[in-house]
Amino acid sequence: MTNVQKQVYERFGESMISAQLDNGLDVHILPKAGFHKTYAIMTTNYGAIDNTFVPRGERETVHMPDGIAHFLEHKLFEKQDYDAFQLFGQYGASSNAFTTFTTTSYLFSASQNIHDNLDILLDFVQEPYFSEASVNKEKGIIGQEIQMYDDDAGWQLYFGTLRNLFPGEPMSIDIAGTVESIDQITADDLYRSYRTFYHPSNMSLFIVGGIDADETLNWVTANQNRKTFSAPTEIKRHPIHHVKADEVIPFTQTPMPVNRAKAAVGMRGFDSLPEGKAGMVYELALSMMMDLLFNDTSETYLALYNQGLIDDSFGYSSEVERGAHFIMISSETDEPETFIKTFESLLDAAPDKIGQLADQFELVKNEAAGRLISAMNSVEAIANQYSGPLFGQTNIFDELEAVQQLTLADVQRVTTDFIRNGAMTGHVVNPLVDNDKN
Amino acid sequence: MHQILKPGVTLDVIPTNQFKTITIMIDFVAPLTVKSATNRALLGELLDTSSEKYPTQTALARQLSLLYGASLGVNVLKAGTKHLVRVTLSTVNDRYLSDEAQHPLFQQGLDLLSEILFHPLIQNGQFDPETFNRQKNNLAAGIRSLSDDKQYEANQHMRQLLFEHHPEQAVGAFGDDQLLEMVTNSELVEDYRTMLTHDAIHIAVIGDVDEQQMVEQMARLPFLPRKTDELESPYFRWGDRQLIEGDEWQDLTQAKFNQAYRLPVYATDDDHAAALVFNAVFGGSPLSLLFNNVREKASLAYYASSNYSGYTGMMTVQTGIKAEDVDQVKAIIAEQLQLIRDGRVESETLGQVQASLVNARLSGLDSPKHRLSARLSADLTGASTPLSEWIDRINAVTIADLQRVANDVHLTAEYFLHGGEK
């Protein structure tokens, strides 16, 4: 019998049930009173970086072409006798899917026929059908997707920075692969990857919206009981060879037909990440470090803005993934070199600076708490906040609790570990020197 | 509940306990010209940056952080013949916070909103000169950088061709960077005063609020009664014209092929539901003919879609393709339009599209901002269709209705932005 746990979040008037089904699927259901829409997202712990592994039932490590996880995501919708996308349409649902470095997700949102739509989701994800003809047809579509991103300056700035931070590692390769790499993908490659990574024990299902939790869990269980799965086995990913901090490439640039330079500073952490929930706390602390140093309540932001080095296009992010964590700061600017130097030295000085920002820390905490509470308005935000195996299955309520408990000392400790062991890079997307003007 | 607070100032309150926030939107509505769009975009930036009491971005941002990450922003939008300056404030409902020091949050947020609206950083009839110049430069750079987005640029260039004689319809919501150069400080202060005293104002609030209390609270905002041009239609009506074509070479990997069609059905016309369904069947949804034929069957594109506006009576098509495929893409698009004109749409497709439009409308009810902007749009067109009636209208659309709309659709512009060989 499946073990079902119920959590009540009294302050927020919310509750959630969680269960691990017999086949290993990790299920979470959160009913939202008064909501019209239901959002369900099914995620496998398999993404763009996982393309070297021992396929399930085999002995040798294989290297799959770059972009295969994303290609598989596209192809899973198409079946021998139907297209899942169209089928969702018949039941009034809109569906989508996306691939990250370490995960692939399939989702729908609907305001009616939830039971039917859930069955469609579970069935199309769990019943693969790949043929050479349909694989070849997809190459044209994904080829155009790749070329669209080739012309996207923001995307090029992001990947140019990642190529410097992760030289030769899977993190440096575009999630969709290249026109050349996807050309090599075969139906057999897709089946072998699918069998390895799409076992229910490697997947989660998160459902939020205008539903009854127990009834919805019964629907999911009934669907899963109709299917037979092999016993879970250990997934053998080939360990990624990580470069050393001194192998990070300090600076590169990409010329593109843009009007104004776009500059980025990236920093990769070489400190080791704590496991489970502590990993989520690390991620929060890293993100608060960035807020303290650079958000619009900081003196630094105001000074650099008034100086004209940054403008409203300024932004920053911190990302913690399975096996990699890094931060990025970017802006359009007329002085890309100064931008890079300035932010590199600000990051260098961060471990000493953070401790002096006690007043601002309270503001940043307030803001983070308020944002998370506001995010509870959105069924998508609630489901997408779920960490899965990355941080020991923590959710938006756990994150809010962690925000409220976080101390400046926590942030200072993470800042010191991250910065002192980290390595930095700069990347610039530069306007082309225009030779065409007469 | 819709009510008139004062002549020219309306209020809608939507009390609901569905959300954990209280959100307010205020629209300032003025006629759209290239100049009004340009000046008001700059004005929005200035109001958003500082005020008398919070003279720097940092001071303003800190106050918002103190209010638990309240969001307060000023945006600009175009809607047919109107230009909108939209102020949005959202605060967390007090009941979800343990710290009572900042209660009531919404009232404090409203104080901050009043501060930026009624007490901007103006001295001796001038915005703070340093802030004025910096925001002007930043906005100009921002407008120029918009064209780094090639999908946006292709669409803009097509509009410029099409609306050569109606430049206000060609300009983006942020206005024109060359005109921006000439905006003076004192002129903008004048525009600010005009906005506060002459614009039509629509206010909408959603959240767990008491309706009567909200009416009293909003009535205290110091807006004066005003005579507005509200009876002037927000619809941009334009005559049929000959096809205009343009193309341009840039150093790009992917080509963009765009089209504009005249689709003379407006938001309050009887045929509006039919036009919405027509667009969704043609290219406006992933269940559409363009998605299925240009992308799924012929593998020529990652995106191939259409958009329709009930304010401008225009439908646009956008595709990202290989330059050498342009004739084939053009032919497939034309076939799909002909197919609808001939009534050869499958009833299954029609049913899917109707279900998806209804789903999108119902889903919108779960977003506070979506609900407020829908209410403000209704204020603009003067017509609000109850939800159940809207759903009935969408579901009543027949293949014959689609044929009628399709026969009214005329291709008026084509624009091709491409790399590859010159």
PDB file of all heavy atoms in Angstrom, chain A residues 14 36-37 90 111 137 144 151 259 262 297 305-306 332 367 377, chain B residues 20-21 62 65 134-135 138 145 147-148 253-254 299 348 359 366:
ATOM      1  N   GLU A  14      -3.289  26.334   3.196  1.00  0.00           N
ATOM      2  CA  GLU A  14      -2.998  25.378   2.128  1.00  0.00           C
ATOM      3  C   GLU A  14      -2.655  24.015   2.732  1.00  0.00           C
ATOM      4  O   GLU A  14      -2.198  23.930   3.871  1.00  0.00           O
ATOM      5  CB  GLU A  14      -1.786  25.829   1.300  1.00  0.00           C
ATOM      6  CG  GLU A  14      -1.859  27.244   0.751  1.00  0.00           C
ATOM      7  CD  GLU A  14      -2.698  27.389  -0.498  1.00  0.00           C
ATOM      8  OE1 GLU A  14      -3.386  26.405  -0.873  1.00  0.00           O
ATOM      9  OE2 GLU A  14      -2.700  28.489  -1.081  1.00  0.00           O
ATOM     10  N   HIS A  36      -9.604  27.944 -11.019  1.00  0.00           N
ATOM     11  CA  HIS A  36     -10.269  27.355 -12.179  1.00  0.00           C
ATOM     12  C   HIS A  36      -9.362  26.384 -12.914  1.00  0.00           C
ATOM     13  O   HIS A  36      -9.792  25.493 -13.603  1.00  0.00           O
ATOM     14  CB  HIS A  36     -10.705  28.457 -13.143  1.00  0.00           C
ATOM     15  CG  HIS A  36     -11.557  29.486 -12.482  1.00  0.00           C
ATOM     16  ND1 HIS A  36     -11.034  30.481 -11.685  1.00  0.00           N
ATOM     17  CD2 HIS A  36     -12.891  29.636 -12.448  1.00  0.00           C
ATOM     18  CE1 HIS A  36     -12.017  31.219 -11.205  1.00  0.00           C
ATOM     19  NE2 HIS A  36     -13.159  30.733 -11.659  1.00  0.00           N
ATOM     20  N   LYS A  37      -8.074  26.648 -12.764  1.00  0.00           N
ATOM     21  CA  LYS A  37      -7.087  25.957 -13.581  1.00  0.00           C
ATOM     22  C   LYS A  37      -6.398  24.873 -12.758  1.00  0.00           C
ATOM     23  O   LYS A  37      -6.221  25.018 -11.555  1.00  0.00           O
ATOM     24  CB  LYS A  37      -6.058  27.012 -14.016  1.00  0.00           C
ATOM     25  CG  LYS A  37      -4.886  26.511 -14.780  1.00  0.00           C
ATOM     26  CD  LYS A  37      -4.127  27.672 -15.434  1.00  0.00           C
ATOM     27  CE  LYS A  37      -3.588  28.689 -14.434  1.00  0.00           C
ATOM     28  NZ  LYS A  37      -2.717  29.677 -15.097  1.00  0.00           N
ATOM     29  N   GLN A  90      -7.970  18.325 -27.691  1.00  0.00           N
ATOM     30  CA  GLN A  90      -9.350  17.842 -27.728  1.00  0.00           C
ATOM     31  C   GLN A  90     -10.004  17.905 -26.363  1.00  0.00           C
ATOM     32  O   GLN A  90     -11.218  18.017 -26.258  1.00  0.00           O
ATOM     33  CB  GLN A  90      -9.384  16.394 -28.218  1.00  0.00           C
ATOM     34  CG  GLN A  90      -9.304  16.309 -29.728  1.00  0.00           C
ATOM     35  CD  GLN A  90      -9.189  14.873 -30.198  1.00  0.00           C
ATOM     36  OE1 GLN A  90      -9.715  13.962 -29.583  1.00  0.00           O
ATOM     37  NE2 GLN A  90      -8.481  14.676 -31.301  1.00  0.00           N
ATOM     38  N   SER A 111      -8.747  23.717 -17.490  1.00  0.00           N
ATOM     39  CA  SER A 111      -9.780  24.104 -16.538  1.00  0.00           C
ATOM     40  C   SER A 111     -10.936  23.112 -16.577  1.00  0.00           C
ATOM     41  O   SER A 111     -11.961  23.330 -15.970  1.00  0.00           O
ATOM     42  CB  SER A 111     -10.261  25.520 -16.843  1.00  0.00           C
ATOM     43  OG  SER A 111     -10.491  25.654 -18.221  1.00  0.00           O
ATOM     44  N   LYS A 137      12.178  13.925 -39.528  1.00  0.00           N
ATOM     45  CA  LYS A 137      11.323  15.095 -39.751  1.00  0.00           C
ATOM     46  C   LYS A 137      11.585  16.176 -38.693  1.00  0.00           C
ATOM     47  O   LYS A 137      11.593  17.367 -38.980  1.00  0.00           O
ATOM     48  CB  LYS A 137       9.865  14.649 -39.704  1.00  0.00           C
ATOM     49  CG  LYS A 137       8.899  15.644 -40.251  1.00  0.00           C
ATOM     50  CD  LYS A 137       7.529  15.451 -39.651  1.00  0.00           C
ATOM     51  CE  LYS A 137       7.533  15.864 -38.196  1.00  0.00           C
ATOM     52  NZ  LYS A 137       6.256  15.656 -37.537  1.00  0.00           N
ATOM     53  N   GLN A 144      15.751  24.763 -36.908  1.00  0.00           N
ATOM     54  CA  GLN A 144      15.305  26.166 -36.917  1.00  0.00           C
ATOM     55  C   GLN A 144      15.288  26.746 -35.506  1.00  0.00           C
ATOM     56  O   GLN A 144      15.565  27.927 -35.304  1.00  0.00           O
ATOM     57  CB  GLN A 144      13.925  26.304 -37.569  1.00  0.00           C
ATOM     58  CG  GLN A 144      13.957  26.244 -39.096  1.00  0.00           C
ATOM     59  CD  GLN A 144      15.001  27.173 -39.699  1.00  0.00           C
ATOM     60  OE1 GLN A 144      15.086  28.345 -39.357  1.00  0.00           O
ATOM     61  NE2 GLN A 144      15.820  26.648 -40.589  1.00  0.00           N
ATOM     62  N   ASP A 151      20.805  33.658 -33.339  1.00  0.00           N
ATOM     63  CA  ASP A 151      20.669  35.097 -33.592  1.00  0.00           C
ATOM     64  C   ASP A 151      20.221  35.857 -32.346  1.00  0.00           C
ATOM     65  O   ASP A 151      19.958  37.059 -32.413  1.00  0.00           O
ATOM     66  CB  ASP A 151      19.639  35.338 -34.700  1.00  0.00           C
ATOM     67  CG  ASP A 151      20.131  34.837 -36.057  1.00  0.00           C
ATOM     68  OD1 ASP A 151      21.357  34.827 -36.270  1.00  0.00           O
ATOM     69  OD2 ASP A 151      19.282  34.456 -36.887  1.00  0.00           O
ATOM     70  N   ASN A 259      23.072  46.532 -31.578  1.00  0.00           N
ATOM     71  CA  ASN A 259      23.285  47.970 -31.543  1.00  0.00           C
ATOM     72  C   ASN A 259      24.243  48.400 -30.453  1.00  0.00           C
ATOM     73  O   ASN A 259      24.893  49.425 -30.546  1.00  0.00           O
ATOM     74  CB  ASN A 259      21.952  48.681 -31.338  1.00  0.00           C
ATOM     75  CG  ASN A 259      21.105  48.600 -32.580  1.00  0.00           C
ATOM     76  OD1 ASN A 259      21.404  49.257 -33.572  1.00  0.00           O
ATOM     77  ND2 ASN A 259      20.091  47.758 -32.561  1.00  0.00           N
ATOM     78  N   LYS A 262      26.741  43.988 -25.004  1.00  0.00           N
ATOM     79  CA  LYS A 262      26.155  43.329 -23.836  1.00  0.00           C
ATOM     80  C   LYS A 262      27.290  42.581 -23.130  1.00  0.00           C
ATOM     81  O   LYS A 262      27.995  41.797 -23.760  1.00  0.00           O
ATOM     82  CB  LYS A 262      25.074  42.338 -24.270  1.00  0.00           C
ATOM     83  CG  LYS A 262      23.918  43.019 -25.008  1.00  0.00           C
ATOM     84  CD  LYS A 262      22.939  42.035 -25.606  1.00  0.00           C
ATOM     85  CE  LYS A 262      22.152  42.604 -26.765  1.00  0.00           C
ATOM     86  NZ  LYS A 262      21.434  43.848 -26.528  1.00  0.00           N
ATOM     87  N   THR A 297      18.299  47.906  -3.919  1.00  0.00           N
ATOM     88  CA  THR A 297      18.413  48.568  -2.615  1.00  0.00           C
ATOM     89  C   THR A 297      19.885  48.784  -2.235  1.00  0.00           C
ATOM     90  O   THR A 297      20.177  49.335  -1.191  1.00  0.00           O
ATOM     91  CB  THR A 297      17.741  47.738  -1.491  1.00  0.00           C
ATOM     92  OG1 THR A 297      18.472  46.520  -1.306  1.00  0.00           O
ATOM     93  CG2 THR A 297      16.306  47.409  -1.813  1.00  0.00           C
ATOM     94  N   TYR A 305      24.704  52.808 -11.592  1.00  0.00           N
ATOM     95  CA  TYR A 305      23.623  53.282 -12.459  1.00  0.00           C
ATOM     96  C   TYR A 305      23.822  54.769 -12.739  1.00  0.00           C
ATOM     97  O   TYR A 305      23.768  55.213 -13.893  1.00  0.00           O
ATOM     98  CB  TYR A 305      22.277  53.026 -11.773  1.00  0.00           C
ATOM     99  CG  TYR A 305      21.072  53.264 -12.654  1.00  0.00           C
ATOM    100  CD1 TYR A 305      20.452  52.201 -13.300  1.00  0.00           C
ATOM    101  CD2 TYR A 305      20.539  54.542 -12.830  1.00  0.00           C
ATOM    102  CE1 TYR A 305      19.334  52.403 -14.106  1.00  0.00           C
ATOM    103  CE2 TYR A 305      19.432  54.751 -13.639  1.00  0.00           C
ATOM    104  CZ  TYR A 305      18.828  53.684 -14.268  1.00  0.00           C
ATOM    105  OH  TYR A 305      17.733  53.895 -15.074  1.00  0.00           O
ATOM    106  N   ASN A 306      24.069  55.529 -11.681  1.00  0.00           N
ATOM    107  CA  ASN A 306      24.250  56.968 -11.861  1.00  0.00           C
ATOM    108  C   ASN A 306      25.500  57.304 -12.660  1.00  0.00           C
ATOM    109  O   ASN A 306      25.565  58.329 -13.334  1.00  0.00           O
ATOM    110  CB  ASN A 306      24.290  57.672 -10.494  1.00  0.00           C
ATOM    111  CG  ASN A 306      22.911  57.718  -9.869  1.00  0.00           C
ATOM    112  OD1 ASN A 306      21.912  57.389 -10.529  1.00  0.00           O
ATOM    113  ND2 ASN A 306      22.844  58.090  -8.601  1.00  0.00           N
ATOM    114  N   GLU A 332      23.524  45.713 -20.674  1.00  0.00           N
ATOM    115  CA  GLU A 332      23.994  46.428 -21.849  1.00  0.00           C
ATOM    116  C   GLU A 332      24.845  47.577 -21.323  1.00  0.00           C
ATOM    117  O   GLU A 332      24.527  48.167 -20.302  1.00  0.00           O
ATOM    118  CB  GLU A 332      22.812  46.991 -22.635  1.00  0.00           C
ATOM    119  CG  GLU A 332      21.975  45.903 -23.243  1.00  0.00           C
ATOM    120  CD  GLU A 332      20.827  46.419 -24.093  1.00  0.00           C
ATOM    121  OE1 GLU A 332      20.720  47.652 -24.251  1.00  0.00           O
ATOM    122  OE2 GLU A 332      20.062  45.594 -24.583  1.00  0.00           O
ATOM    123  N   GLU A 367      11.731  41.007   1.548  1.00  0.00           N
ATOM    124  CA  GLU A 367      11.352  40.991   0.149  1.00  0.00           C
ATOM    125  C   GLU A 367      11.235  39.552  -0.361  1.00  0.00           C
ATOM    126  O   GLU A 367      10.273  39.204  -1.044  1.00  0.00           O
ATOM    127  CB  GLU A 367      12.391  41.774  -0.672  1.00  0.00           C
ATOM    128  CG  GLU A 367      12.053  41.783  -2.126  1.00  0.00           C
ATOM    129  CD  GLU A 367      12.784  42.880  -2.903  1.00  0.00           C
ATOM    130  OE1 GLU A 367      13.433  43.726  -2.256  1.00  0.00           O
ATOM    131  OE2 GLU A 367      12.682  42.851  -4.125  1.00  0.00           O
ATOM    132  N   ASN A 377       0.072  32.580  -5.361  1.00  0.00           N
ATOM    133  CA  ASN A 377      -1.074  32.869  -6.222  1.00  0.00           C
ATOM    134  C   ASN A 377      -1.026  32.060  -7.508  1.00  0.00           C
ATOM    135  O   ASN A 377      -2.019  31.987  -8.226  1.00  0.00           O
ATOM    136  CB  ASN A 377      -1.071  34.345  -6.661  1.00  0.00           C
ATOM    137  CG  ASN A 377      -1.555  35.280  -5.581  1.00  0.00           C
ATOM    138  OD1 ASN A 377      -2.165  34.845  -4.621  1.00  0.00           O
ATOM    139  ND2 ASN A 377      -1.290  36.563  -5.763  1.00  0.00           N
TER     140      ASN A 377
ATOM    141  N   LYS B  20      -3.439  35.683  -2.375  1.00  0.00           N
ATOM    142  CA  LYS B  20      -2.728  36.052  -1.152  1.00  0.00           C
ATOM    143  C   LYS B  20      -2.241  37.495  -1.195  1.00  0.00           C
ATOM    144  O   LYS B  20      -1.480  37.935  -0.340  1.00  0.00           O
ATOM    145  CB  LYS B  20      -1.552  35.090  -0.936  1.00  0.00           C
ATOM    146  CG  LYS B  20      -2.072  33.658  -0.735  1.00  0.00           C
ATOM    147  CD  LYS B  20      -1.123  32.759  -0.055  1.00  0.00           C
ATOM    148  CE  LYS B  20      -1.790  31.539   0.525  1.00  0.00           C
ATOM    149  NZ  LYS B  20      -2.849  30.901  -0.254  1.00  0.00           N
ATOM    150  N   THR B  21      -2.656  38.211  -2.220  1.00  0.00           N
ATOM    151  CA  THR B  21      -2.220  39.590  -2.413  1.00  0.00           C
ATOM    152  C   THR B  21      -3.423  40.490  -2.666  1.00  0.00           C
ATOM    153  O   THR B  21      -4.503  40.008  -2.998  1.00  0.00           O
ATOM    154  CB  THR B  21      -1.322  39.685  -3.653  1.00  0.00           C
ATOM    155  OG1 THR B  21      -1.994  39.022  -4.734  1.00  0.00           O
ATOM    156  CG2 THR B  21       0.026  39.020  -3.424  1.00  0.00           C
ATOM    157  N   ARG B  62      14.100  50.512  -1.292  1.00  0.00           N
ATOM    158  CA  ARG B  62      14.153  50.085   0.114  1.00  0.00           C
ATOM    159  C   ARG B  62      12.782  50.141   0.762  1.00  0.00           C
ATOM    160  O   ARG B  62      12.423  49.281   1.553  1.00  0.00           O
ATOM    161  CB  ARG B  62      15.143  50.941   0.901  1.00  0.00           C
ATOM    162  CG  ARG B  62      16.562  50.564   0.551  1.00  0.00           C
ATOM    163  CD  ARG B  62      17.595  51.255   1.389  1.00  0.00           C
ATOM    164  NE  ARG B  62      18.900  50.760   0.973  1.00  0.00           N
ATOM    165  CZ  ARG B  62      20.053  51.240   1.398  1.00  0.00           C
ATOM    166  NH1 ARG B  62      20.085  52.230   2.259  1.00  0.00           N
ATOM    167  NH2 ARG B  62      21.181  50.725   0.971  1.00  0.00           N
ATOM    168  N   SER B  65      10.950  47.104  -0.350  1.00  0.00           N
ATOM    169  CA  SER B  65      11.443  45.915   0.352  1.00  0.00           C
ATOM    170  C   SER B  65      10.868  45.848   1.755  1.00  0.00           C
ATOM    171  O   SER B  65      10.466  44.795   2.230  1.00  0.00           O
ATOM    172  CB  SER B  65      12.964  45.935   0.455  1.00  0.00           C
ATOM    173  OG  SER B  65      13.538  45.707  -0.786  1.00  0.00           O
ATOM    174  N   ARG B 134      19.498  61.327 -17.373  1.00  0.00           N
ATOM    175  CA  ARG B 134      19.893  59.928 -17.338  1.00  0.00           C
ATOM    176  C   ARG B 134      18.777  59.033 -17.861  1.00  0.00           C
ATOM    177  O   ARG B 134      19.006  58.139 -18.679  1.00  0.00           O
ATOM    178  CB  ARG B 134      20.276  59.528 -15.910  1.00  0.00           C
ATOM    179  CG  ARG B 134      20.926  58.161 -15.857  1.00  0.00           C
ATOM    180  CD  ARG B 134      21.393  57.814 -14.450  1.00  0.00           C
ATOM    181  NE  ARG B 134      22.152  58.892 -13.830  1.00  0.00           N
ATOM    182  CZ  ARG B 134      21.719  59.606 -12.809  1.00  0.00           C
ATOM    183  NH1 ARG B 134      20.541  59.387 -12.276  1.00  0.00           N
ATOM    184  NH2 ARG B 134      22.479  60.562 -12.307  1.00  0.00           N
ATOM    185  N   GLN B 135      17.543  59.289 -17.419  1.00  0.00           N
ATOM    186  CA  GLN B 135      16.436  58.449 -17.866  1.00  0.00           C
ATOM    187  C   GLN B 135      16.183  58.627 -19.361  1.00  0.00           C
ATOM    188  O   GLN B 135      15.818  57.686 -20.057  1.00  0.00           O
ATOM    189  CB  GLN B 135      15.166  58.740 -17.052  1.00  0.00           C
ATOM    190  CG  GLN B 135      15.249  58.271 -15.610  1.00  0.00           C
ATOM    191  CD  GLN B 135      15.549  56.776 -15.480  1.00  0.00           C
ATOM    192  OE1 GLN B 135      15.112  55.965 -16.295  1.00  0.00           O
ATOM    193  NE2 GLN B 135      16.323  56.408 -14.472  1.00  0.00           N
ATOM    194  N   ASN B 138      18.878  56.609 -21.081  1.00  0.00           N
ATOM    195  CA  ASN B 138      18.632  55.174 -20.925  1.00  0.00           C
ATOM    196  C   ASN B 138      17.469  54.710 -21.785  1.00  0.00           C
ATOM    197  O   ASN B 138      17.516  53.642 -22.385  1.00  0.00           O
ATOM    198  CB  ASN B 138      18.341  54.835 -19.458  1.00  0.00           C
ATOM    199  CG  ASN B 138      19.600  54.848 -18.615  1.00  0.00           C
ATOM    200  OD1 ASN B 138      20.706  54.974 -19.147  1.00  0.00           O
ATOM    201  ND2 ASN B 138      19.442  54.734 -17.316  1.00  0.00           N
ATOM    202  N   SER B 145      17.985  49.321 -28.560  1.00  0.00           N
ATOM    203  CA  SER B 145      18.329  47.912 -28.334  1.00  0.00           C
ATOM    204  C   SER B 145      17.172  46.968 -28.611  1.00  0.00           C
ATOM    205  O   SER B 145      17.377  45.766 -28.759  1.00  0.00           O
ATOM    206  CB  SER B 145      18.778  47.701 -26.886  1.00  0.00           C
ATOM    207  OG  SER B 145      20.000  48.350 -26.689  1.00  0.00           O
ATOM    208  N   SER B 147      15.681  46.508 -31.186  1.00  0.00           N
ATOM    209  CA  SER B 147      15.831  45.855 -32.495  1.00  0.00           C
ATOM    210  C   SER B 147      16.902  44.762 -32.473  1.00  0.00           C
ATOM    211  O   SER B 147      17.111  44.092 -33.473  1.00  0.00           O
ATOM    212  CB  SER B 147      16.138  46.882 -33.577  1.00  0.00           C
ATOM    213  OG  SER B 147      17.372  47.482 -33.299  1.00  0.00           O
ATOM    214  N   ASP B 148      17.579  44.572 -31.339  1.00  0.00           N
ATOM    215  CA  ASP B 148      18.461  43.407 -31.228  1.00  0.00           C
ATOM    216  C   ASP B 148      17.644  42.119 -31.149  1.00  0.00           C
ATOM    217  O   ASP B 148      18.169  41.030 -31.357  1.00  0.00           O
ATOM    218  CB  ASP B 148      19.366  43.515 -29.984  1.00  0.00           C
ATOM    219  CG  ASP B 148      20.387  44.639 -30.142  1.00  0.00           C
ATOM    220  OD1 ASP B 148      20.526  45.140 -31.279  1.00  0.00           O
ATOM    221  OD2 ASP B 148      21.018  45.010 -29.146  1.00  0.00           O
ATOM    222  N   THR B 253      21.546  34.229 -39.058  1.00  0.00           N
ATOM    223  CA  THR B 253      21.467  32.803 -39.387  1.00  0.00           C
ATOM    224  C   THR B 253      20.064  32.459 -39.880  1.00  0.00           C
ATOM    225  O   THR B 253      19.884  31.779 -40.876  1.00  0.00           O
ATOM    226  CB  THR B 253      21.774  31.952 -38.144  1.00  0.00           C
ATOM    227  OG1 THR B 253      22.908  32.516 -37.482  1.00  0.00           O
ATOM    228  CG2 THR B 253      22.080  30.521 -38.532  1.00  0.00           C
ATOM    229  N   GLN B 254      19.065  32.919 -39.116  1.00  0.00           N
ATOM    230  CA  GLN B 254      17.691  32.571 -39.460  1.00  0.00           C
ATOM    231  C   GLN B 254      16.980  33.755 -40.114  1.00  0.00           C
ATOM    232  O   GLN B 254      17.120  34.886 -39.669  1.00  0.00           O
ATOM    233  CB  GLN B 254      16.923  32.173 -38.196  1.00  0.00           C
ATOM    234  CG  GLN B 254      15.519  31.683 -38.472  1.00  0.00           C
ATOM    235  CD  GLN B 254      14.803  31.271 -37.209  1.00  0.00           C
ATOM    236  OE1 GLN B 254      14.514  32.078 -36.336  1.00  0.00           O
ATOM    237  NE2 GLN B 254      14.525  29.979 -37.091  1.00  0.00           N
ATOM    238  N   SER B 299       8.146  20.788 -41.671  1.00  0.00           N
ATOM    239  CA  SER B 299       9.402  20.986 -40.919  1.00  0.00           C
ATOM    240  C   SER B 299      10.178  22.218 -41.372  1.00  0.00           C
ATOM    241  O   SER B 299      11.398  22.195 -41.440  1.00  0.00           O
ATOM    242  CB  SER B 299      10.333  19.772 -41.075  1.00  0.00           C
ATOM    243  OG  SER B 299       9.763  18.623 -40.563  1.00  0.00           O
ATOM    244  N   GLU B 348     -13.176  18.836 -35.923  1.00  0.00           N
ATOM    245  CA  GLU B 348     -12.338  18.476 -34.785  1.00  0.00           C
ATOM    246  C   GLU B 348     -11.391  19.628 -34.425  1.00  0.00           C
ATOM    247  O   GLU B 348     -11.228  19.978 -33.260  1.00  0.00           O
ATOM    248  CB  GLU B 348     -11.538  17.228 -35.153  1.00  0.00           C
ATOM    249  CG  GLU B 348     -10.955  16.520 -33.968  1.00  0.00           C
ATOM    250  CD  GLU B 348     -10.079  15.330 -34.387  1.00  0.00           C
ATOM    251  OE1 GLU B 348     -10.090  14.960 -35.575  1.00  0.00           O
ATOM    252  OE2 GLU B 348      -9.387  14.816 -33.504  1.00  0.00           O
ATOM    253  N   ASN B 359     -10.500  27.561 -22.305  1.00  0.00           N
ATOM    254  CA  ASN B 359      -9.554  27.208 -21.244  1.00  0.00           C
ATOM    255  C   ASN B 359      -8.663  28.405 -20.886  1.00  0.00           C
ATOM    256  O   ASN B 359      -8.438  28.697 -19.715  1.00  0.00           O
ATOM    257  CB  ASN B 359      -8.686  26.030 -21.703  1.00  0.00           C
ATOM    258  CG  ASN B 359      -7.677  25.632 -20.651  1.00  0.00           C
ATOM    259  OD1 ASN B 359      -8.007  25.540 -19.475  1.00  0.00           O
ATOM    260  ND2 ASN B 359      -6.436  25.432 -21.068  1.00  0.00           N
ATOM    261  N   ASP B 366      -7.419  33.013 -12.766  1.00  0.00           N
ATOM    262  CA  ASP B 366      -6.527  32.661 -11.658  1.00  0.00           C
ATOM    263  C   ASP B 366      -5.340  33.619 -11.517  1.00  0.00           C
ATOM    264  O   ASP B 366      -4.458  33.387 -10.698  1.00  0.00           O
ATOM    265  CB  ASP B 366      -5.995  31.230 -11.824  1.00  0.00           C
ATOM    266  CG  ASP B 366      -7.105  30.201 -11.684  1.00  0.00           C
ATOM    267  OD1 ASP B 366      -8.189  30.560 -11.178  1.00  0.00           O
ATOM    268  OD2 ASP B 366      -6.893  29.043 -12.081  1.00  0.00           O
TER     269      ASP B 366
END
